[in-house]
Amino acid sequence: MNVNSKLIKLRKRFSIILISSVFLYPFIFLKKVSSLPKPITVAVKKVTDRSGAPWWKPRFEEKLKSILSTELSSAGHFIVLERDEEALADLEEERNFSYSQDSKKKPNDQMLKAKYIVRASLNEYQDSYVSFDLKVTNTQTGVIAYSRSIEGKVNSNKKNESTSIKTNNFSYSESTKVVKNVVPSRAIRAAINEIAEYLDCVLYIKDECISEYEAKDERRKRSNDSFDMF
């Protein structure tokens, strides 16, 4: 067999491989896409305070709920359902208006139901950290499917102030410690972000990240053994 014949055969084989790849790639891609889990439907409740933190304000409940909902939505793995009372009233009014001319449809037959309800509450505040309790409830069974304490570091805002008075016959000095109760915004935001990442791990991704969170939780428990909680 001469060199030209070998080259012709190699070109034919290469063409067959190339054509096969072109036709098979879309099917391989579609198979990978179809194997991905569907987005998880969740309803996020207001973030409440059970610690009595002096800096907590009522508006934080909706604000932190909104931040957590946004983080979950931006992950692309969740369908976050609106459960705000005012928003639900608006949705109900819109559905009633849309179905007013079609008696065969019920106003609520298109309403999605959440698979999980997400609740987070601030349970402890000290000089060095904040701690949130997270509970994820399965709406079909009513069982708490996942629970976890999420901590965020806080930079305490303490400083010493001194007062000094001097006269010809009298001198006086005093040092006092001033504590300013400021909102630990960065620590709270870090904790909310970790809540979103944890939910993404245990509800959707479900890979080795679960073991990483379990190890992190064990370290947290060991470090908190010396805390007097009561």
Side-chain angles (χ1 to χ4, degrees):
M1 183 179 293
N2 56 33
V3 176
N4 289 335
S5 299
K6 290 182 178 180
L7 289 175
I8 291 172
K9 285 189 176 183
L10 287 174
R11 287 175 182 174
K12 287 182 178 179
R13 288 179 183 176
F14 178 76
S15 298
I16 293 172
I17 294 173
L18 182 61
I19 293 171
S20 301
S21 301
V22 170
F23 281 98
L24 287 176
Y25 179 77
F27 294 100
I28 295 173
F29 177 76
L30 289 174
K31 184 177 180 180
K32 288 183 178 180
V33 172
S34 62
S35 64
L36 293 176
K38 295 181 180 179
I40 309 298
T41 53
V42 297
V44 180
K45 296 298 184 179
K46 293 180 181 179
V47 179
T48 58
D49 172 40
R50 296 182 180 177
S51 68
W55 40 262
W56 185 271
K57 299 181 186 300
R59 68 173 183 270
F60 291 172
E61 293 184 349
E62 282 291 346
K63 185 175 182 180
L64 296 181
K65 169 194 168 185
S66 178
I67 293 174
L68 179 55
S69 297
T70 301
E71 291 294 330
L72 292 175
S73 297
S74 62
H77 299 158
F78 296 92
I79 298 175
V80 182
L81 304 181
E82 183 58 78
R83 288 296 182 261
D84 178 76
E85 293 182 2
E86 183 177 352
L88 285 174
D90 292 339
L91 289 172
E92 184 70 17
E93 182 180 355
E94 180 62 26
R95 284 196 301 273
N96 288 333
F97 177 79
S98 300
Y99 295 134
S100 60
Q101 297 180 352
D102 191 346
S103 60
K104 295 181 180 180
K105 292 184 179 180
K106 296 180 180 180
N108 292 324
D109 61 3
Q110 298 297 322
M111 189 73 172
L112 287 177
K113 294 182 179 180
K115 184 176 182 180
Y116 296 102
I117 294 176
V118 177
R119 290 185 176 90
S121 60
L122 181 71
N123 69 352
E124 190 174 0
Y125 167 75
Q126 294 185 6
D127 293 337
S128 60
Y129 74 96
V130 291
S131 176
F132 286 90
D133 269 349
L134 172 68
K135 293 182 180 180
V136 182
T137 305
N138 187 314
T139 58
Q140 294 181 350
T141 63
V143 174
I144 297 177
Y146 302 94
S147 62
R148 179 178 170 81
S149 291
I150 303 290
E151 297 180 343
K153 298 297 181 181
V154 178
N155 293 324
S156 58
N157 192 357
K158 292 184 178 181
K159 66 177 181 178
N160 293 329
E161 290 185 355
S162 60
T163 303
S164 179
I165 302 174
K166 290 184 179 181
T167 63
N168 292 333
N169 299 321
F170 175 78
S171 64
Y172 170 80
S173 63
E174 181 180 357
S175 179
T176 58
K177 180 178 289 186
V178 178
V179 179
K180 293 185 177 181
N181 293 321
V182 297
V183 180
S185 303
R186 293 183 180 178
I188 293 175
R189 184 58 188 258
I192 295 297
N193 288 345
E194 183 168 348
I195 288 175
E197 292 174 1
Y198 172 73
L199 293 175
D200 195 21
C201 171
V202 297
L203 296 181
Y204 188 88
I205 299 176
K206 298 181 179 181
D207 60 6
E208 63 274 5
C209 65
I210 295 178
S211 299
E212 294 174 2
Y213 274 107
E214 288 177 351
K216 183 185 291 187
D217 199 41
E218 285 298 321
R219 291 194 298 270
R220 179 191 62 79
K221 290 177 181 178
R222 287 196 299 268
S223 65
N224 289 347
D225 282 343
S226 60
F227 289 163
D228 184 7
M229 304 296 291
F230 303 98

